[in-house]
Short mmCIF file of all heavy atoms in Angstrom, two decimals:
data_model
loop_
_atom_site.label_atom_id
_atom_site.label_comp_id
_atom_site.label_asym_id
_atom_site.label_seq_id
_atom_site.Cartn_x
_atom_site.Cartn_y
_atom_site.Cartn_z
N ASP Q 1 94.11 104.06 71.68
CA ASP Q 1 94.78 103.08 70.81
C ASP Q 1 94.51 101.64 71.31
O ASP Q 1 94.20 101.46 72.46
CB ASP Q 1 96.28 103.40 70.96
CG ASP Q 1 97.04 102.70 69.85
OD1 ASP Q 1 97.00 101.47 69.75
OD2 ASP Q 1 97.77 103.44 69.07
N GLN Q 2 94.69 100.72 70.42
CA GLN Q 2 94.38 99.34 70.77
C GLN Q 2 95.31 98.82 71.87
O GLN Q 2 95.00 97.81 72.52
CB GLN Q 2 94.45 98.43 69.54
CG GLN Q 2 95.74 98.43 68.81
CD GLN Q 2 95.63 97.73 67.49
OE1 GLN Q 2 94.57 97.43 67.02
NE2 GLN Q 2 96.75 97.51 66.83
N GLY Q 3 96.39 99.50 72.15
CA GLY Q 3 97.26 99.08 73.24
C GLY Q 3 96.62 99.26 74.61
O GLY Q 3 97.08 98.71 75.60
N PHE Q 4 95.54 100.04 74.70
CA PHE Q 4 94.86 100.31 75.93
C PHE Q 4 93.63 99.38 76.13
O PHE Q 4 92.84 99.58 77.10
CB PHE Q 4 94.42 101.76 76.03
CG PHE Q 4 95.60 102.70 76.08
CD1 PHE Q 4 96.08 103.37 75.01
CD2 PHE Q 4 96.23 102.87 77.33
CE1 PHE Q 4 97.16 104.19 75.12
CE2 PHE Q 4 97.34 103.73 77.44
CZ PHE Q 4 97.82 104.40 76.31
N ALA Q 5 93.45 98.42 75.26
CA ALA Q 5 92.31 97.55 75.40
C ALA Q 5 92.50 96.60 76.61
O ALA Q 5 93.63 96.40 77.08
CB ALA Q 5 92.17 96.68 74.17
N GLY Q 6 91.38 96.20 77.19
CA GLY Q 6 91.52 95.28 78.33
C GLY Q 6 90.73 95.80 79.47
O GLY Q 6 89.60 96.34 79.34
N ARG Q 7 91.31 95.69 80.69
CA ARG Q 7 90.61 96.09 81.93
C ARG Q 7 90.40 97.59 82.00
O ARG Q 7 89.50 98.06 82.69
CB ARG Q 7 91.40 95.63 83.08
CG ARG Q 7 91.44 94.12 83.18
CD ARG Q 7 92.13 93.62 84.47
NE ARG Q 7 93.16 94.57 84.92
CZ ARG Q 7 93.90 94.34 85.96
NH1 ARG Q 7 93.77 93.28 86.68
NH2 ARG Q 7 94.83 95.21 86.33
N LEU Q 8 91.15 98.41 81.29
CA LEU Q 8 91.02 99.82 81.31
C LEU Q 8 89.66 100.26 80.85
O LEU Q 8 89.05 101.22 81.39
CB LEU Q 8 92.11 100.51 80.51
CG LEU Q 8 92.08 102.04 80.48
CD1 LEU Q 8 92.31 102.56 81.89
CD2 LEU Q 8 93.10 102.60 79.53
N VAL Q 9 89.04 99.62 79.89
CA VAL Q 9 87.78 99.93 79.36
C VAL Q 9 86.70 99.80 80.47
O VAL Q 9 85.86 100.69 80.63
CB VAL Q 9 87.40 99.02 78.13
CG1 VAL Q 9 86.00 99.39 77.65
CG2 VAL Q 9 88.39 99.26 77.03
N ASP Q 10 86.74 98.69 81.22
CA ASP Q 10 85.75 98.51 82.28
C ASP Q 10 86.04 99.49 83.42
O ASP Q 10 85.07 99.99 83.97
CB ASP Q 10 85.90 97.05 82.83
CG ASP Q 10 85.52 96.05 81.78
OD1 ASP Q 10 84.68 96.35 80.90
OD2 ASP Q 10 86.10 94.91 81.82
N TRP Q 11 87.31 99.71 83.71
CA TRP Q 11 87.60 100.68 84.81
C TRP Q 11 87.15 102.05 84.43
O TRP Q 11 86.59 102.77 85.33
CB TRP Q 11 89.18 100.66 85.04
CG TRP Q 11 89.58 101.60 86.16
CD1 TRP Q 11 89.55 101.33 87.47
CD2 TRP Q 11 89.99 102.92 85.98
NE1 TRP Q 11 90.01 102.41 88.13
CE2 TRP Q 11 90.29 103.42 87.26
CE3 TRP Q 11 90.25 103.77 84.84
CZ2 TRP Q 11 90.75 104.73 87.51
CZ3 TRP Q 11 90.68 105.07 85.10
CH2 TRP Q 11 90.97 105.52 86.37
N ALA Q 12 87.34 102.53 83.23
CA ALA Q 12 86.87 103.83 82.82
C ALA Q 12 85.37 103.96 82.90
O ALA Q 12 84.82 104.96 83.35
CB ALA Q 12 87.38 104.20 81.39
N ARG Q 13 84.68 102.87 82.49
CA ARG Q 13 83.19 102.86 82.57
C ARG Q 13 82.69 102.90 84.02
O ARG Q 13 81.86 103.68 84.38
CB ARG Q 13 82.62 101.65 81.83
CG ARG Q 13 81.12 101.60 81.86
CD ARG Q 13 80.58 100.31 81.35
NE ARG Q 13 81.04 99.21 82.29
CZ ARG Q 13 81.63 98.06 81.88
NH1 ARG Q 13 81.91 97.92 80.65
NH2 ARG Q 13 81.99 97.23 82.77
N ASP Q 14 83.26 102.07 84.86
CA ASP Q 14 82.77 101.87 86.23
C ASP Q 14 83.22 103.03 87.20
O ASP Q 14 82.40 103.52 87.95
CB ASP Q 14 83.21 100.55 86.83
CG ASP Q 14 82.68 99.40 86.08
OD1 ASP Q 14 81.65 99.56 85.32
OD2 ASP Q 14 83.32 98.34 86.06
N THR Q 15 84.48 103.42 87.08
CA THR Q 15 85.03 104.42 87.95
C THR Q 15 84.81 105.82 87.52
O THR Q 15 84.38 106.69 88.23
CB THR Q 15 86.52 104.15 88.21
OG1 THR Q 15 86.66 102.84 88.64
CG2 THR Q 15 87.05 105.09 89.26
N LEU Q 16 85.13 106.17 86.24
CA LEU Q 16 85.08 107.47 85.74
C LEU Q 16 83.76 107.81 85.04
O LEU Q 16 83.52 108.95 84.62
CB LEU Q 16 86.20 107.74 84.72
CG LEU Q 16 87.61 107.57 85.33
CD1 LEU Q 16 88.67 107.81 84.28
CD2 LEU Q 16 87.86 108.54 86.50
N ARG Q 17 82.90 106.77 84.87
CA ARG Q 17 81.64 106.92 84.12
C ARG Q 17 81.88 107.52 82.71
O ARG Q 17 81.22 108.53 82.25
CB ARG Q 17 80.65 107.77 84.94
CG ARG Q 17 80.25 107.13 86.23
CD ARG Q 17 79.25 108.05 86.97
NE ARG Q 17 79.30 107.76 88.37
CZ ARG Q 17 80.10 108.36 89.29
NH1 ARG Q 17 80.84 109.34 88.93
NH2 ARG Q 17 80.06 108.00 90.54
N THR Q 18 82.91 107.00 82.03
CA THR Q 18 83.38 107.46 80.72
C THR Q 18 83.36 106.31 79.80
O THR Q 18 83.79 105.24 80.16
CB THR Q 18 84.72 108.13 80.86
OG1 THR Q 18 84.69 109.24 81.73
CG2 THR Q 18 85.20 108.62 79.51
N THR Q 19 82.95 106.48 78.50
CA THR Q 19 83.07 105.48 77.55
C THR Q 19 84.43 105.54 76.89
O THR Q 19 84.83 106.59 76.38
CB THR Q 19 81.98 105.74 76.47
OG1 THR Q 19 80.72 105.66 77.08
CG2 THR Q 19 82.08 104.60 75.40
N LEU Q 20 85.20 104.44 76.92
CA LEU Q 20 86.46 104.40 76.34
C LEU Q 20 86.36 103.50 75.08
O LEU Q 20 86.12 102.32 75.17
CB LEU Q 20 87.50 103.77 77.30
CG LEU Q 20 88.95 103.68 76.84
CD1 LEU Q 20 89.54 105.06 76.61
CD2 LEU Q 20 89.76 102.90 77.82
N GLU Q 21 86.48 104.14 73.93
CA GLU Q 21 86.35 103.36 72.64
C GLU Q 21 87.77 103.15 72.09
O GLU Q 21 88.54 104.01 71.88
CB GLU Q 21 85.57 104.25 71.63
CG GLU Q 21 85.35 103.53 70.30
CD GLU Q 21 84.59 104.45 69.33
OE1 GLU Q 21 83.79 105.28 69.76
OE2 GLU Q 21 84.78 104.21 68.13
N ILE Q 22 88.03 101.87 71.87
CA ILE Q 22 89.29 101.46 71.30
C ILE Q 22 89.26 101.53 69.78
O ILE Q 22 88.39 100.96 69.13
CB ILE Q 22 89.63 99.98 71.73
CG1 ILE Q 22 89.56 99.85 73.31
CG2 ILE Q 22 90.93 99.54 71.21
CD1 ILE Q 22 90.58 100.71 74.02
N VAL Q 23 90.21 102.27 69.25
CA VAL Q 23 90.30 102.45 67.81
C VAL Q 23 91.29 101.44 67.25
O VAL Q 23 92.47 101.41 67.65
CB VAL Q 23 90.74 103.82 67.44
CG1 VAL Q 23 90.89 104.04 65.95
CG2 VAL Q 23 89.83 104.92 68.01
N ARG Q 24 90.79 100.52 66.44
CA ARG Q 24 91.65 99.42 65.92
C ARG Q 24 91.87 99.60 64.43
O ARG Q 24 91.08 100.13 63.78
CB ARG Q 24 90.95 98.02 66.21
CG ARG Q 24 90.69 97.80 67.67
CD ARG Q 24 90.12 96.39 67.86
NE ARG Q 24 89.71 96.14 69.21
CZ ARG Q 24 90.55 95.81 70.18
NH1 ARG Q 24 91.82 95.66 69.91
NH2 ARG Q 24 90.15 95.62 71.38
N LYS Q 25 93.03 99.07 64.03
CA LYS Q 25 93.31 99.12 62.57
C LYS Q 25 92.58 97.98 61.88
O LYS Q 25 92.32 96.92 62.50
CB LYS Q 25 94.79 99.04 62.30
CG LYS Q 25 95.47 97.79 62.68
CD LYS Q 25 96.96 97.84 62.32
CE LYS Q 25 97.61 96.54 62.62
NZ LYS Q 25 99.01 96.48 62.22
N PRO Q 26 92.25 98.09 60.61
CA PRO Q 26 91.60 97.03 59.91
C PRO Q 26 92.50 95.78 59.86
O PRO Q 26 93.73 95.88 59.74
CB PRO Q 26 91.39 97.63 58.47
CG PRO Q 26 91.51 99.06 58.67
CD PRO Q 26 92.39 99.29 59.82
N ALA Q 27 91.90 94.65 59.94
CA ALA Q 27 92.66 93.32 59.96
C ALA Q 27 93.48 93.15 58.70
O ALA Q 27 94.56 92.54 58.73
CB ALA Q 27 91.69 92.20 60.16
N ASP Q 28 93.03 93.60 57.54
CA ASP Q 28 93.66 93.37 56.28
C ASP Q 28 94.66 94.53 55.93
O ASP Q 28 95.18 94.54 54.79
CB ASP Q 28 92.67 93.20 55.18
CG ASP Q 28 91.77 94.39 55.01
OD1 ASP Q 28 91.69 95.23 55.96
OD2 ASP Q 28 91.13 94.50 53.96
N GLN Q 29 94.96 95.44 56.85
CA GLN Q 29 95.80 96.59 56.53
C GLN Q 29 97.24 96.17 56.37
O GLN Q 29 97.78 95.44 57.18
CB GLN Q 29 95.73 97.62 57.67
CG GLN Q 29 96.66 98.78 57.49
CD GLN Q 29 96.64 99.77 58.60
OE1 GLN Q 29 95.61 99.86 59.30
NE2 GLN Q 29 97.73 100.43 58.86
N ARG Q 30 97.83 96.64 55.35
CA ARG Q 30 99.29 96.48 55.06
C ARG Q 30 99.90 97.89 54.90
O ARG Q 30 99.36 98.74 54.19
CB ARG Q 30 99.52 95.70 53.76
CG ARG Q 30 98.97 94.33 53.83
CD ARG Q 30 99.99 93.39 54.50
NE ARG Q 30 99.48 92.02 54.40
CZ ARG Q 30 99.54 91.21 55.43
NH1 ARG Q 30 100.03 91.55 56.55
NH2 ARG Q 30 99.06 89.96 55.28
N GLY Q 31 100.97 98.13 55.61
CA GLY Q 31 101.68 99.45 55.46
C GLY Q 31 100.86 100.53 56.25
O GLY Q 31 100.03 100.28 57.10
#
């Protein structure tokens, strides 16, 4: 979820050797 964006992405890549993809909602989404 987009709440996990930030340093966690780099940490997962460097430490766990895992790609962490952040799923974001569209900017124009209503409801």
Side-chain angles (χ1 to χ4, degrees):
D1 194 301
Q2 59 192 8
F4 293 98
R7 295 185 327 182
L8 182 63
V9 176
D10 297 330
W11 181 83
R13 182 190 62 233
D14 299 338
T15 305
L16 300 178
R17 297 180 203 93
T18 301
T19 302
L20 183 65
E21 181 180 334
I22 304 299
V23 179
R24 300 184 187 279
K25 66 179 184 177
D28 58 344
Q29 176 183 332
R30 297 277 185 221

